Amino acid sequence: SVRPLQETVPPNVRQTTRLGLYSLDIPTAPHTEAPASITQRLRLEILYKKQNSGLYKERTGGIAFLGDTLFRAQIHFPQNVPTGRYLVDVYLFKNGQVVAAQTTPLLISKDGIGATLSLFAHRQSGAYGLLAVLGAALMGWAAAELFRKV
C-alpha cells in the first residue's frame, strides 16, 4: 500500500477484502470447540512466528505510480515459496471504500541451475539421491586427503 492500511481502510473493509496480516483467514482444525479467546491467541501467535521468520511482512510505500493507471510494486518472496500460479487481488481505494478491483495471475518459477536441479530431483529422485551420496562421499574423501597429516 501507499500508506498504512489502518489509516486508509476501515476495519470492516479490511476484513471483507482480507487486507493486512490481522485480516488473514488462518484456518483452525475442523470441529474445534476452543473458546474464541484461545483461537484468537493462537492466530496472533502464528502471525508473530511467521513475521519473525520473515515469511509474513507488511510494507508501506512499496508502490510507485508510473501513470494514471499504471503502477509498479516490488514484492520480496521468501526463498522457500512454492512455485506455481497464484492469483493476486489488486484494490483501488478512495475515501476508505473499494472503487476498483482486479485479479491478476502471478507465476512463480525457478530458473537457472536451481530450476535444473529441482526438476532433476523431482523427476529422477533415485538418480539424484545416488549422485548426492556419491558426491558427499567424494567430498569426504577429498577433505580427508587434503587434511591428512604427512
Side-chain angles (χ1 to χ4, degrees):
S1 68
V2 176
R3 295 190 317 252
L5 291 175
Q6 294 79 7
E7 293 178 9
T8 57
V9 182
N12 62 329
V13 177
R14 286 196 313 262
Q15 195 64 42
T16 303
T17 55
R18 294 187 330 213
L19 288 176
L21 289 179
Y22 296 99
S23 299
L24 287 175
D25 183 22
I26 299 175
T28 57
H31 309 295
T32 301
E33 299 294 328
S37 62
I38 292 175
T39 304
Q40 181 63 16
R41 281 198 322 238
L42 178 63
R43 289 182 83 252
L44 291 174
E45 185 65 25
I46 289 170
L47 286 173
Y48 176 76
K49 287 185 182 261
K50 296 285 188 183
Q51 282 179 302
N52 282 345
S53 63
L55 296 177
Y56 287 4
K57 292 183 181 180
E58 277 191 342
R59 208 168 48 114
T60 302
I63 298 174
F65 286 94
L66 306 174
D68 289 339
T69 58
L70 184 64
F71 66 92
R72 178 195 333 225
Q74 288 188 346
I75 303 169
H76 299 279
F77 294 99
Q79 290 183 353
N80 61 347
V81 66
T83 59
R85 185 175 181 265
Y86 294 84
L87 295 176
V88 177
D89 295 326
V90 179
Y91 297 99
L92 176 63
F93 290 92
K94 184 174 185 176
N95 298 326
Q97 298 301 316
V98 177
V99 294
Q102 179 177 342
T103 300
T104 270
L106 173 68
L107 181 64
I108 296 182
S109 62
K110 295 181 181 180
D111 62 350
I113 188 97
T116 304
L117 286 174
S118 177
L119 190 61
F120 178 65
H122 283 90
R123 290 190 178 167
Q124 303 290 332
S125 56
Y128 178 80
L130 182 62
L131 286 174
V133 169
L134 288 174
L138 181 63
M139 293 300 287
W141 173 81
E145 288 296 314
L146 183 63
F147 295 109
R148 182 175 48 148
K149 291 185 179 181
V150 179

